Amino acid sequence: MNVVTLPSTEAIAELAAKHYVEVLTAKPDAVLGFATGSSPLPTYNRLVELCDAGDVSFADARGFLLDEYAGLPKDHPQNYRTWLNEQFISKVNFQEGAVQGPEGDKDDPFAAAAKYEKALVDAGGVDFQILGIGTDGHIAFNEPGGSLSSLTHPQVLNEQTLVDNARFFDGDVNQVPKYSITQGLGTILRAKDIILIAQGEQKAEAIAAMVEGGVSVRWPASVLQFHNSVTVILDEAAASQLKEKDFYQYVWEREQELRA
Ligand code: F6R
C-alpha cells in the first residue's frame, strides 16, 4: 500500500485525476470502477475540466459502479446511478450505456447481484478502481462482519452507515434504504489498480485500522493490504491516527523520484 497525505482537496483531486489520465492514455478502452459519495467528487469535477480541455477522453472506456441502494426508484436523486450520471458521467464523453451499475430495483436482489458479477467478469475485470471508505471501515457497501472474499451480493447496511448517509436524505435516517447491492471484497480485489481517497477526522480511525491494523472483517477495507497496487490519498485529518505517517510520506516521495 502506498499512503500519501496532501494539503488540500484540490491536490488530492489533481493527483487522482492525473492517474486517470495515465490509465486512459495507456489503455483508452480501460474498464473503470466508480465509487459514489463525497470522496471522489472533486476528482470527478477535475476530470470534467480535463475532458473539456481535451486532455482526457472516455470515448472508448467502460465503467462499473461499486454499489447501489436496493429498493430506491431508478429516478430517485440518491439512486447511485442517477447521482453519478448527473455529477459526472453525463458531463464527459462516455458513450451511451458505457457505464453500468447493479440493478437495485429488481424483485430478486440475489439474481441482480449474480448478473452484475458476471457482467464484471465478462468485461475482463476492472483496470482502475476509485474507492472511498466508510467511518466503519466499509469499502463499497461491504460492512463489518462479512466475508473477505465475497462476490457481488445484497448487503444489509450497518446502523453507522445509515446515520452517516442520512445527510443525503434530508438528515432523516429513516429515509435511507436499509439494503444495497454491492461488489464484494473479492470482486474489488480483482481490480488491477486501486486509489482510495479519504478526507476528514471522521475517517481517521478507519484509515489507521485499514493501513496499520490486522486484516479483519471488523475493518473490511483492511483486506486491501493483500492487493499489490493500492494508493491511499489522504488529507491531514484522515491521516491523523497513522503511527507511521511520516515514513509513508518519505517512501512516497522517494518513489516519485525513482519514477521521474
Ligand atoms: C459508495 C461507496 C462507499 C463510500 C463511503 C464513503 O459507492 O462505495 O463505500 O465510498 O461510504 O462515502 P463518502 O465518500 O461520501 O464519505
Side-chain angles (χ1 to χ4, degrees), residues 117-150:
E117 183 72 27
K118 183 172 181 312
L120 279 155
V121 171
D122 290 349
V126 170
D127 292 300
F128 172 48
Q129 175 70 53
I130 193 161
L131 295 174
I133 185 171
T135 58
D136 65 358
H138 70 232
I139 49 174
F141 267 137
N142 293 280
E143 300 284 29
S147 156
L148 290 176
S149 59
S150 57

Side-chain angles (χ1 to χ4, degrees), residues 78-125:
Q78 292 308 327
N79 180 300
Y80 276 1
R81 200 137 139 199
T82 307
W83 184 91
L84 191 70
N85 196 43
E86 282 176 3
Q87 299 291 332
F88 175 51
I89 304 301
S90 65
K91 297 182 178 176
V92 293
N93 62 340
F94 274 110
Q95 285 177 39
E96 188 72 33
V99 180
Q100 52 182 301
E103 295 177 309
D105 58 340
K106 297 293 176 211
D107 288 341
D108 183 347
F110 292 92
K115 185 177 163 199
Y116 195 63
E117 183 72 27
K118 183 172 181 312
L120 279 155
V121 171
D122 290 349

Side-chain angles (χ1 to χ4, degrees), residues 177-188:
K178 307 286 180 285
Y179 309 95
S180 68
I181 296 177
T182 180
Q183 288 190 32
L185 294 174
T187 316
I188 294 169

